[in-house]
Amino acid sequence: MMKGRNGFGIILPQSFPGLSEGVSIMSVVKVSTLIFLLLAVAAFFAPAHGNDFVLVVDKDSSASALTSDAVKRIFLGKQRQWENGTVVTIVVNNNPRVHESFTRSMLQKSPNQLLAYWKKMLFSGRSILPLFVDGDEEVIAAVAGNLNTISYISPENIDNRVKPVKLL
């Protein structure tokens, strides 16, 4: 077995028992490192909202798709009306897993930062607080039958009273 130095001055064997002839440990390490880095980059840039929550509106609402920017503007109180001119009603889901996933991925804020933001908006007179509810079933009850209401729930809890909103 031949030995060689890597870029760090460490002596490594050039081959390893069980590797095919002509395949060095360094080539295996380089390929493994490259694969790890590619997976890490893919995981970093993958959208977090794909599995943890889904936006919902009433089943008869005309809203079926929104851009991420529109969702952010709505949930930060910067867009107060739907395209048809009706006032948007926001329902905040206090389920910790769903709420944290939503606030971090869609609003780029922690749940505490969002609450502080809403309090600032309230005390400055620029907005009123959204409705805060304790979980998916309460969200569905608040959204169903209210065409101008939007919220988010766990994907597994969607039922026929609400419809999912596609993120563009």
Side-chain angles (χ1 to χ4, degrees), residues 109-123 126 129 132:
K109 295 185 180 301
S110 72
N112 287 338
Q113 288 172 323
L114 179 62
L115 184 59
Y117 173 85
W118 274 110
K119 286 179 180 179
K120 179 180 173 184
M121 294 289 284
L122 174 68
F123 293 126
R126 292 185 281 175
L129 286 176
F132 289 81

Side-chain angles (χ1 to χ4, degrees), residues 100-117:
E100 174 128 8
S101 174
F102 174 79
T103 59
R104 290 196 184 276
S105 65
M106 296 302 299
L107 308 178
Q108 289 76 50
K109 295 185 180 301
S110 72
N112 287 338
Q113 288 172 323
L114 179 62
L115 184 59
Y117 173 85

Side-chain angles (χ1 to χ4, degrees), residues 69-144:
D69 187 55
V71 172
K72 186 173 183 177
R73 287 193 322 271
I74 288 169
F75 280 89
L76 293 178
K78 295 177 181 179
Q79 178 179 329
R80 297 185 178 131
Q81 295 181 338
W82 292 106
E83 290 181 4
N84 65 8
T86 59
V87 175
V88 175
T89 301
I90 302 166
V91 177
V92 175
N93 187 342
N94 274 333
N95 172 306
R97 180 183 59 83
V98 177
H99 185 57
E100 174 128 8
S101 174
F102 174 79
T103 59
R104 290 196 184 276
S105 65
M106 296 302 299
L107 308 178
Q108 289 76 50
K109 295 185 180 301
S110 72
N112 287 338
Q113 288 172 323
L114 179 62
L115 184 59
Y117 173 85
W118 274 110
K119 286 179 180 179
K120 179 180 173 184
M121 294 289 284
L122 174 68
F123 293 126
S124 69
R126 292 185 281 175
S127 189
I128 60 171
L129 286 176
L131 174 63
F132 289 81
V133 299
D134 291 324
D136 292 351
E137 187 55 42
E138 288 186 35
V139 167
I140 292 170
V143 171

Side-chain angles (χ1 to χ4, degrees), residues 3-4 24 26 52-53 56-57 59 69-70 81 84 99 112 117-118 138 149 162 165:
K3 294 186 178 187
S24 72
M26 286 310 297
D52 297 336
F53 69 88
V56 291
V57 293
K59 65 179 180 167
D69 187 55
Q81 295 181 338
N84 65 8
H99 185 57
N112 287 338
Y117 173 85
W118 274 110
E138 288 186 35
T149 304
V162 295
V165 176

